[in-house]
Amino acid sequence: MTSRNPRDSRLHLVRTPSPRAERRTEAERGRTRGPLRAPGAIGKARARRPAPPPPEGTPAPAELARMARGGLAGAVRAARWAESALRPGVGTPAPATVTSPPQATGALSDAAAEQAAAELEVTVHQLRADWDAARLAGLVEVHGDSVRAGWRLRAWDRDDAAVLRGWVALFDAWSLVHPAPAELPPAAVAETVEAVPQLLSFLQLSAGPVPVPQLLDLLDQRVRELRTERCEIPLGPQEEPQDPAPPLPELLDWALRALAAVGALTYADAQATLTPLGSWAVWVKLEQICVAAQSPAGHIEQAAEDMLRGCARLRPNAARAEYRAWLAARDVGSAVTELLDAARGDDALLRGLAFEALRVVGAPAEPDVRAVVAEPSLRPYALLWLAEHEGTDPEDVHLVLTREESTWLWVDTAAAVADHGEAELLVRHLDSAPQPTVPALLDEVRAVGHPRTVQVLVALAAAHPDPALAKAVRRAAFQVHTGGV
């Protein structure tokens, strides 16, 4: 299927440095920025329904951002202190005997915590809580033994959307802000974390205080449903039940206190009430789920690979909305694993889309992305993801790749275009190659060892209007196929 307007392609290519690319117009560059940014060169983008307004009484975004800034004021102070005191080469470093770098877990050392508490005039306990909130909200990024400001901290005073995204990131991590007591069974804690979204939805629909006994009944019902869903019939006689009854009152108390700690609700007098911020966040997540569930594609119940294939038909903003809805309905850890498994497949388009979805996940995906850097097929995508996550300028992000990695990524992207795109788009992709000339490109493409090299060169030769160039590309494809030079 071709587009009547060649410039209307929704398949965006990997942008790599090229002398020929530098000669293109700025408009041409705009069509080829970013590695497979939510592409979709086949089918038509579905019509977007107008965004419904939030529930009546929801404060304006500026007021919500003001509330979020107030709730995270301590985290911002801790983040700004850490950036100046712990980041090498920034500000005036404190003596090494006083300030120690963050530990491998991202927690401050005792010496650093004591120094920060003294300078900020708070207790060490409060300082550690603020530091944890700063990390979870994306205000700081810990890399080894150094700290750098997250992009949200740099935009904190001027960008309300960045503030709200930071608060939602903290809200999503509520179970880490206030960890469950050690005496609670880990399996029961996991069940409670999975059941909390339903409790929050009920609180949001109630639009007022809800008695704890009512929430306890709802938690009990949801936990029973979860156990029924995963129930397996045991073989042979069973003397004791495999899943003892969880201590629901203690679990609910912990969950409500943790949600109160992030500012999502108030919890007092045996009642819980969502704050305006909490009510708005729950509404946003419910709306994301409804958008996916009511869409013609209906991605929310699908596996990662099927969801990504569905998103290939959407424009970038619509695809990102689908990613958010899909992620909102899943545990982050399992969702990241599923996305990386999809990226390991044979379809290069899914590889690029999977990392676009991982960009929506953000910081929680960092350990898993770092773990796949050693895998050849994922390495270029992972390095670009990590560079963007660490705040590298978008214009310079490609510099983290070697020439060989850039060439491999060029071939992988070309494979996606050949499988799902248009002939003209494949020809345009030639301009984004890291090599200055076509002969140099063909030499390095032959050497890079991408499994789709032959198919890509054959498709490029068939699509290119220049007979001489097409002949050279076909010759290169034949040489790769036969093992020649």
Side-chain angles (χ1 to χ4, degrees):
M1 181 176 294
T2 59
S3 172
R4 290 181 297 174
N5 181 355
R7 297 190 177 207
D8 193 31
S9 173
R10 293 183 293 281
L11 181 58
H12 291 220
L13 305 178
V14 176
R15 184 172 181 269
T16 50
S18 165
R20 282 174 288 116
E22 291 300 320
R23 294 195 293 269
R24 289 178 297 160
T25 65
E26 198 64 34
E28 285 265 346
R29 294 186 188 188
R31 294 198 303 272
T32 59
R33 292 180 61 130
L36 287 171
R37 303 278 183 177
I42 56 176
K44 295 181 179 179
R46 70 184 182 209
R48 294 186 197 173
R49 65 171 182 146
E56 186 177 353
T58 302
E63 177 63 16
L64 290 170
R66 186 192 66 77
M67 296 176 185
R69 286 188 177 96
L72 287 170
V76 171
R77 293 181 65 208
R80 287 178 173 155
W81 175 88
E83 183 191 17
S84 62
L86 302 182
R87 181 178 180 181
V90 178
T92 304
T97 56
V98 176
T99 302
S100 302
Q103 300 168 1
T105 60
L108 288 177
S109 66
D110 291 341
E114 291 173 3
Q115 179 186 350
E119 292 183 13
L120 299 178
E121 299 180 350
V122 295
T123 64
V124 172
H125 176 76
Q126 182 61 50
L127 186 280
R128 288 195 180 279
D130 290 341
W131 171 255
D132 287 341
R135 287 192 301 123
L136 295 170
L139 298 174
V140 292
E141 298 172 359
V142 180
H143 301 282
D145 59 354
S146 65
V147 172
R148 69 182 64 180
W151 68 271
R152 286 174 183 146
L153 182 64
R154 295 193 292 271
W156 195 255
D157 294 327
R158 55 179 170 77
D159 189 339
D160 289 346
V163 172
L164 291 174
R165 284 194 292 268
W167 185 87
V168 169
L170 182 68
F171 168 66
D172 288 338
W174 64 267
S175 60
L176 302 178
V177 174
H178 186 74
E183 60 270 15
L184 292 177
V189 170
E191 290 172 339
T192 302
V193 172
E194 195 170 352
V196 157
Q198 185 166 331
L199 271 64
L200 291 172
S201 299
F202 182 75
L203 283 165
Q204 202 267 346
L205 292 172
S206 299
V210 176
V212 167
Q214 195 170 356
L215 292 174
L216 191 60
D217 289 341
L218 185 60
L219 177 61
D220 179 55
Q221 177 184 337
R222 182 58 182 148
V223 168
R224 291 177 185 275
E225 291 173 355
L226 292 171
R227 292 191 169 198
T228 301
E229 289 170 3
R230 71 168 193 269
C231 179
E232 297 180 359
I233 301 175
L235 296 176
Q238 300 293 316
E239 296 182 359
E240 297 180 359
Q242 292 183 323
D243 291 330
L248 290 181
E250 293 83 353
L251 289 164
L252 179 61
D253 181 72
W254 160 68
L256 294 178
R257 290 184 185 279
L259 289 163
V262 300
L265 53 79
T266 59
Y267 176 38
D269 300 326
Q271 290 183 330
T273 309
L274 285 180
T275 63
L277 269 174
S279 180
W280 168 79
V282 173
W283 171 78
V284 168
K285 292 183 178 298
L286 289 172
E287 184 59 25
Q288 289 171 354
I289 293 172
C290 290
V291 166
Q294 295 175 7
S295 68
H299 307 310
I300 192 169
E301 298 295 338
Q302 296 178 346
E305 183 172 335
D306 294 331
M307 180 273 294
L308 294 172
R309 291 189 190 281
C311 289
R313 299 191 299 268
L314 306 178
R315 293 185 181 275
N317 286 340
R320 282 190 289 271
E322 297 290 342
Y323 301 150
R324 283 191 289 269
W326 187 84
L327 292 164
R330 285 162 177 78
D331 173 76
V332 173
S334 62
V336 170
T337 300
E338 201 173 336
L339 289 170
L340 289 174
D341 286 343
R344 292 185 179 97
D346 296 330
D347 194 332
L349 177 62
L350 296 191
R351 210 162 5 258
L353 290 172
F355 277 86
E356 282 302 309
L358 289 170
R359 285 179 174 85
V360 175
V361 176
E366 181 179 2
D368 296 273
V369 173
R370 288 193 184 279
V372 302
V373 166
E375 299 183 31
S377 65
L378 302 185
R379 178 177 175 81
Y381 294 96
L383 291 176
L384 291 174
W385 189 98
L386 291 168
E388 293 179 13
H389 177 66
E390 292 169 3
T392 303
D393 190 295
E395 293 295 325
D396 300 328
V397 69
H398 62 270
L399 298 177
V400 303
L401 301 181
T402 65
R403 179 71 160 258
E404 183 179 4
E405 290 163 351
S406 294
T407 303
W408 195 100
L409 186 57
W410 184 90
V411 178
D412 205 51
T413 306
V417 179
D419 289 343
H420 303 279
E422 305 163 359
E424 183 178 349
L425 190 58
L426 186 59
V427 174
R428 289 212 308 266
H429 184 46
L430 194 60
D431 284 336
S432 69
Q435 291 76 14
T437 65
V438 171
L441 168 66
L442 295 178
D443 286 343
E444 295 187 31
V445 164
R446 285 198 295 261
V448 80
H450 192 289
R452 295 289 304 280
T453 299
V454 173
Q455 294 94 324
V456 164
L457 293 178
V458 169
L460 181 58
H464 207 285
D466 185 337
L469 189 147
K471 181 178 179 181
V473 174
R474 276 194 299 271
R475 184 185 305 117
F478 178 77
Q479 290 171 344
V480 174
H481 178 64
T482 59
V485 178

